[in-house]
């Protein structure tokens, strides 16, 4: 949304919801019966106009387990069986029916032609977990033509294998920073960065605050290029927040080594983190 | 800190030291009354063109916490402060909140501070802030930043206009402001549960509209959220930014509908508070 947006009204719409006199419902996607397994894509709808940005809502609600878990959502365009991911590995962890961010304030840039099919799939560390999903759509981009971004979203730090559907586990120092590698060689430049994080597993949490900085450079020679971003956790609901931070304007070239350093003012617990690079 | 190239941006912290924990700020002893101002930064050494404000509370009472944060600049310690940015945060229990980038300008050479207004009396919250500056830009493009964000919707309370639906899946209009007194170029929709009691599972969809009663026209469509029966809150609680063009003197409304998901749902448990953060 900044620095290269201009003011002006944009067109708004959505896919994935049913709104009429009898329904106020998102689309329910259920994760595969085998944990940490990709499923087929579920159709959300067709783009009502040329879409330049999406704002996903991932909402867990009635009928689902209230336990904590981790998952990843892929959003795609294109015909069935020919899906082309426009956003792969959107972090979708939750605690007590809460999916991720309390603040849904990030428009993810993309390009979807009017009339094109939009779909999504959900993989989870637990079996057969239903997730409510819809996408709010924005037409005119609001981005300044001279600085137009390509609309590519790359996810760094994703752990997507037979036992995990989450991000890189981040260790923190008690009173001192600990460096954690996110990606040794990023394959796209980054103009905006979004940090997504959450607990790494379903365990009891204590009350504490964290400070985290993003770094680049070779091992042992990392240098910070942001000051601190903050998040905290509290014990009663085993909840952490904020769970998304951004968009953060940066200028990180292709091939850079990306890491974060994290610290807490007290005894620490690990959390999982993904950095999304927008170019 | 943070400048790293001719086209780079920097990110620096204001008034918070991770070594000593976050800053702390206590709400007024009277509900929905402004606290004193808290200085965030003595003097910015770069113009800030955006910031993130973090706030949190390690508390497990299960109460709704409505927070109206007002960021201002000027002579904070001398009491001559110009309010600049209204931020509306709502959460239940404790936890950290924030993380969204606000494209607001904060000037070089002035003190930056904030005050807080809440439905919770004499409660101490943790806070921290990070701001962005333009690093080494020498010939900036025509960036668009905000100089002011104003809360629209029931200015006497920390969050907004209360509404309880009369029927499920019934489209109902909520008046936010009958006559806006500033233009709005960017807006955020803020919601919160309006009662400190047990909620049920509901889906809710809202649209933002302008125009006379009965002639409302949507300017933002399909803002979706859920009320859930575990944490008794509405999530997400902030939605946006929405790029709009609302002139002075408009009638600003929100309308939409809700649907309960489990047996025994009552619409009283789907009630919301809603307001709009409008920037120009």
């Amino acid at each position: 949304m900044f620095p290269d947006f201009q003011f002006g009204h944009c067109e708004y719409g959505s896919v994935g919801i049913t709104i009429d006199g009898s329904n106020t419902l998102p689309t329910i996607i259920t994760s595969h019966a085998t944990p940490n397994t990709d499923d087929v894509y579920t159709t959300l709808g067709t783009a009502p106009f040329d879409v330049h940005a999406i704002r996903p809502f991932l909402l867990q609600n009635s009928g689902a387990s209230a336990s904590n878990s981790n998952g990843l959502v892929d959003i795609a365009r294109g015909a069935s069986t020919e899906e082309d991911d426009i956003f792969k590995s959107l972090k979708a962890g939750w605690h007590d029916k809460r999916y991720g961010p309390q603040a849904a304030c990030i428009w993810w840039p993309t390009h979807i032609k009017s009339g094109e099919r939009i779909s999504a799939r959900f993989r989870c560390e637990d079996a057969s977990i239903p997730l409510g999903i819809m996408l709010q759509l924005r037409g005119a981009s609001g981005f300044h033509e001279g600085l137009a971004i390509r609309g590519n979203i790359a996810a760094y730090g994703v752990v997507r294998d037979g036992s995990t559907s989450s991000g890189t586990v981040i260790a923190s120092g008690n009173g001192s920073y600990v460096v954690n590698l996110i990606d040794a060689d990023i394959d796209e430049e980054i103009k905006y960065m979004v940090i997504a994080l959450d607990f790494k597993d379903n365990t009891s949490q204590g009350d504490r605050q964290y400070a985290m900085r993003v770094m680049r450079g070779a091992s042992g020679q990392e240098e910070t290029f942001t000051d601190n971003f903050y998040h905290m956790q509290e014990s009663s609901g085993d909840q952490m927040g904020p769970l998304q931070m951004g968009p953060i304007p940066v200028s990180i070239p292709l091939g850079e080594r990306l890491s974060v350093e994290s610290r807490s003012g007290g005894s620490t617990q690990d959390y999982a983190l993904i950095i999304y690079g927008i170019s | 800190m943070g400048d790293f190239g001719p086209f780079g941006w920097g990110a620096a912290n204001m008034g918070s030291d991770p070594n000593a924990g976050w800053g702390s700020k206590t709400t007024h002893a009277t509900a929905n009354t402004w606290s004193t101002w808290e200085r965030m930064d003595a003097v910015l050494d770069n113009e800030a063109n955006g910031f993130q404000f973090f706030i949190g509370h390690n508390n497990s009472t299960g109460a709704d916490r409505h927070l109206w944060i007002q960021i201002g600049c000027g002579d904070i310690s001398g009491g001559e402060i110009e309010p600049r940015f209204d931020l509306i945060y709502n959460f239940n229990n404790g936890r950290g909140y924030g993380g969204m980038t606000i494209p607001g300008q904060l000037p070089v050479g002035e003190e930056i501070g904030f005050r807080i207004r809440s439905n919770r009396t004499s409660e101490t919250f943790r806070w921290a802030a990070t701001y962005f500056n333009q690093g080494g830009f020498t010939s900036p493009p025509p960036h668009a930043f905000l100089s002011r964000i104003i809360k629209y919707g029931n200015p006497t309370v920390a969050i907004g206009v209360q509404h309880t639906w009369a029927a499920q899946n019934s489209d109902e209009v909520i008046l936010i402001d009958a006559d806006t007194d500033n233009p709005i170029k960017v807006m955020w929709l803020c919601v919160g549960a309006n009662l400190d009691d047990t909620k049920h599972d509901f889906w809710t969809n809202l649209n933002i509209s302008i125009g006379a009663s009965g002639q409302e026209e949507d300017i933002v469509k399909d803002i979706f959220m859920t009320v859930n029966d575990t944490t008794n809150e509405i999530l997400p609680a902030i939605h946006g930014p929405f790029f709009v063009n609302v002139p002075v003197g408009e009638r600003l409304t929100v309308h939409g509908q809700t649907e309960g998901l489990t047996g025994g749902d009552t619409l009283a448990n789907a009630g919301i508070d809603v307001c709009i953060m409008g920037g120009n």
Side-chain angles (χ1 to χ4, degrees), chain A residues 14 57 61 102 228 239 263, chain B residues 19 95 130 222 224 226 237:
Chain A
S14 66
F57 292 69
N61 209 312
Q102 306 101 315
N228 288 301
Q239 294 165 344
R263 68 184 296 165
Chain B
N19 296 319
R95 88 178 63 107
T130 294
D222 296 337
F224 208 76
T226 182

Side-chain angles (χ1 to χ4, degrees), chain A residues 29 64 139 151 223 258 261:
Chain A
I29 298 178
E223 60 178 40
L258 202 60
E261 59 178 8

Side-chain angles (χ1 to χ4, degrees), chain B:
Chain B
M1 176 68 197
D3 294 353
F4 55 91
F7 303 105
W9 284 68
N13 297 139
M14 285 190 280
S16 45
D17 177 3
N19 296 319
W22 295 15
S24 64
K25 184 65 179 174
T26 301
T27 60
H28 197 279
T30 302
N32 295 307
T33 303
W34 286 116
S35 70
T36 57
W37 285 88
E38 179 82 14
R39 194 170 73 174
M40 298 162 62
D41 201 285
V43 176
L44 289 187
D45 53 7
N46 279 293
E47 181 178 72
N49 292 314
F51 59 87
Q52 293 188 4
F53 189 88
F54 304 87
I55 197 159
H57 195 329
N58 291 130
N59 195 299
S60 58
T61 63
D64 291 328
R65 290 181 168 79
H66 301 164
L67 305 178
W68 180 354
I69 311 292
Q70 194 164 62
I71 293 174
C73 56
D75 181 3
I76 302 297
S77 51
E80 295 183 8
I81 304 140
E82 178 190 3
R84 296 287 293 274
F85 302 106
D86 291 345
L87 309 177
I88 307 300
Y89 292 177
N90 172 72
F91 53 82
N92 190 283
N93 287 339
R95 88 178 63 107
Y97 203 11
M100 68 274 199
T101 300
I102 303 293
Q105 284 185 306
L106 295 169
V108 176
E110 293 190 31
E111 292 181 323
I112 309 299
F114 79 98
R115 59 181 179 172
I116 184 172
R117 187 168 175 160
S118 176
N119 63 330
R120 315 308 303 181
T121 59
S122 302
E123 274 197 352
T124 299
F125 291 81
R126 300 285 189 176
W127 72 273
T130 294
Y131 70 92
F132 305 105
N133 57 64
Q134 278 186 279
F137 270 122
T138 55
S139 180
H143 297 159
F145 301 114
L146 302 176
S147 59
R148 186 82 169 92
I149 297 175
I150 297 169
K151 172 182 181 269
Y152 294 90
N154 196 354
T156 63
V157 299
I159 185 161
V161 179
Q162 285 196 358
H163 183 79
T164 300
W165 272 268
Q168 293 206 38
N169 296 306
S170 165
D171 188 15
E172 299 178 15
V173 176
I174 306 168
L175 176 62
I176 301 297
D177 196 299
D179 184 6
T180 56
D181 52 11
N182 281 278
I184 304 175
K185 296 176 178 176
V186 180
M187 60 171 58
W188 292 259
L189 181 77
C190 308
V191 295
N194 67 8
L195 298 168
D196 280 336
D197 64 2
T198 302
K199 303 294 185 294
H200 292 226
D201 285 341
F202 279 86
W203 302 113
T204 300
N205 189 66
L206 297 177
N207 305 306
I208 301 172
S209 50
I210 56 175
S213 178
Q215 299 176 319
E216 291 89 355
E217 177 184 352
D218 289 343
I219 56 173
V220 182
K221 294 176 65 175
D222 296 337
I223 305 167
F224 208 76
M225 62 203 73
T226 182
V227 186
N228 80 60
D229 66 0
T230 304
T231 58
N232 298 325
E233 60 187 331
I234 299 178
L235 293 168
I238 305 182
H239 305 255
F242 302 115
F243 303 97
V244 296
N245 187 13
V246 179
V248 173
E250 273 290 356
R251 179 176 177 272
L252 188 60
T253 51
V254 166
H255 74 96
Q257 62 189 55
T258 191
E259 178 176 349
L261 300 174
T262 56
D265 288 340
T266 61
L267 284 164
N269 294 121
I272 64 170
D273 276 90
V274 59
C275 68
I276 285 173
M277 291 162 39
N280 61 57

Side-chain angles (χ1 to χ4, degrees), chain A residues 62-140:
Chain A
S62 182
S65 165
S67 64
N68 304 345
S69 191
N70 285 303
L72 297 168
V73 171
D74 301 331
I75 300 168
R77 64 187 170 194
S80 178
T81 72
E82 297 176 359
E83 289 88 356
D84 171 28
D85 286 326
I86 56 174
F87 192 165
K88 195 172 180 66
S89 298
L90 173 59
K91 198 168 188 330
W94 65 83
H95 305 276
D96 295 338
K97 292 189 178 181
R98 298 174 53 252
Y99 158 70
Q102 306 101 315
C105 294
I106 297 169
W107 282 99
W108 301 88
T110 191
H111 298 288
I112 307 171
K113 292 179 182 177
S114 178
E116 200 165 15
R117 174 180 176 263
I118 302 173
S119 59
R121 63 180 180 180
F122 172 49
R123 58 178 282 152
C124 184
E125 293 181 358
D126 290 290
S128 304
I129 295 292
L131 181 75
I133 181 170
M134 64 84 70
L135 305 181
Q136 193 177 25
L137 312 173
R138 197 178 76 200

Side-chain angles (χ1 to χ4, degrees), chain A residues 56-240:
Chain A
F57 292 69
L58 307 178
L59 303 168
Q60 200 189 27
N61 209 312
S62 182
S65 165
S67 64
N68 304 345
S69 191
N70 285 303
L72 297 168
V73 171
D74 301 331
I75 300 168
R77 64 187 170 194
S80 178
T81 72
E82 297 176 359
E83 289 88 356
D84 171 28
D85 286 326
I86 56 174
F87 192 165
K88 195 172 180 66
S89 298
L90 173 59
K91 198 168 188 330
W94 65 83
H95 305 276
D96 295 338
K97 292 189 178 181
R98 298 174 53 252
Y99 158 70
Q102 306 101 315
C105 294
I106 297 169
W107 282 99
W108 301 88
T110 191
H111 298 288
I112 307 171
K113 292 179 182 177
S114 178
E116 200 165 15
R117 174 180 176 263
I118 302 173
S119 59
R121 63 180 180 180
F122 172 49
R123 58 178 282 152
C124 184
E125 293 181 358
D126 290 290
S128 304
I129 295 292
L131 181 75
I133 181 170
M134 64 84 70
L135 305 181
Q136 193 177 25
L137 312 173
R138 197 178 76 200
S141 69
F143 282 90
H144 181 249
E145 293 298 324
L147 282 176
I149 57 176
R150 292 190 298 119
N152 182 69
I153 305 167
Y156 299 106
V158 173
V159 181
R160 186 175 178 131
D161 56 29
S163 59
T164 306
S165 299
S166 184
T168 297
V169 174
I170 302 296
S172 305
N174 181 351
S176 61
Y177 287 103
V178 171
V179 177
N180 301 264
L181 175 65
I182 300 299
D183 196 288
D185 181 8
I186 63 171
D187 49 15
E188 298 275 355
E189 68 170 329
I190 304 177
K191 292 183 176 177
Y192 300 92
M193 182 172 68
V194 176
I195 302 167
L197 54 87
D198 208 341
F199 294 127
K200 76 179 180 68
D201 50 24
N202 182 8
T203 56
S204 297
Q205 312 295 328
D207 293 339
R208 57 187 56 85
Q209 296 91 43
Y210 293 86
M212 173 193 55
R213 301 192 292 209
V214 188
M215 313 175 79
R216 66 180 186 180
S219 177
Q221 299 176 316
E222 296 92 348
E223 60 178 40
T224 58
F225 63 90
T226 72
D227 212 329
N228 288 301
F229 294 93
Y230 297 92
H231 57 101
M232 62 185 292
Q233 64 189 47
E234 59 93 19
S235 58
S236 65
D238 295 338
Q239 294 165 344
M240 180 174 276

